Amino acid sequence: MMQDYGILAWIVIGGIAGGIAKLLMPGRDPGGCIVTILLGIAGALLAGWIGKAIGWYDTNEGAGFVAAVVGAFLLLLIYRVIAGRRRV
């Protein structure tokens, strides 16, 4: 679904999805607006890739907004796990 939008919509949706993911996972995170937008966009791409691998989406379909939030949340969780190991 998200591949039908233009680049500006990707930025807006990515910012909202990344922001919601950061709100759902309490704690300090690096980066500001740009990192949040990139997190949301990468989350949408990750969710679309996983959805296609599992069979939820056809080849011409992509992840929706909720899937983008879930993907961004997963990326943030993975980042925290990796960053937490470095501090020890």
Side-chain angles (χ1 to χ4, degrees):
M1 178 191 294
M2 286 186 65
Q3 72 270 12
D4 296 334
Y5 300 119
I7 189 72
L8 185 59
W10 272 84
I11 292 170
V12 170
I13 292 170
I16 294 169
I20 291 172
K22 282 188 171 187
L23 287 175
L24 290 175
M25 184 172 287
R28 294 186 51 114
D29 293 310
C33 293
I34 301 295
V35 172
T36 302
I37 291 169
L38 293 175
L39 177 69
I41 292 171
L45 293 173
L46 174 69
W49 181 76
I50 290 173
K52 287 177 187 174
I54 294 173
W56 291 344
Y57 303 119
D58 290 332
T59 54
N60 294 334
E61 291 181 314
F65 178 73
V66 174
V69 173
V70 172
F73 185 84
L74 289 174
L75 287 175
L76 191 55
L77 180 66
I78 291 168
Y79 169 78
R80 286 192 178 179
V81 167
I82 293 171
R85 287 183 185 168
R86 285 190 200 161
R87 290 182 187 157
V88 174

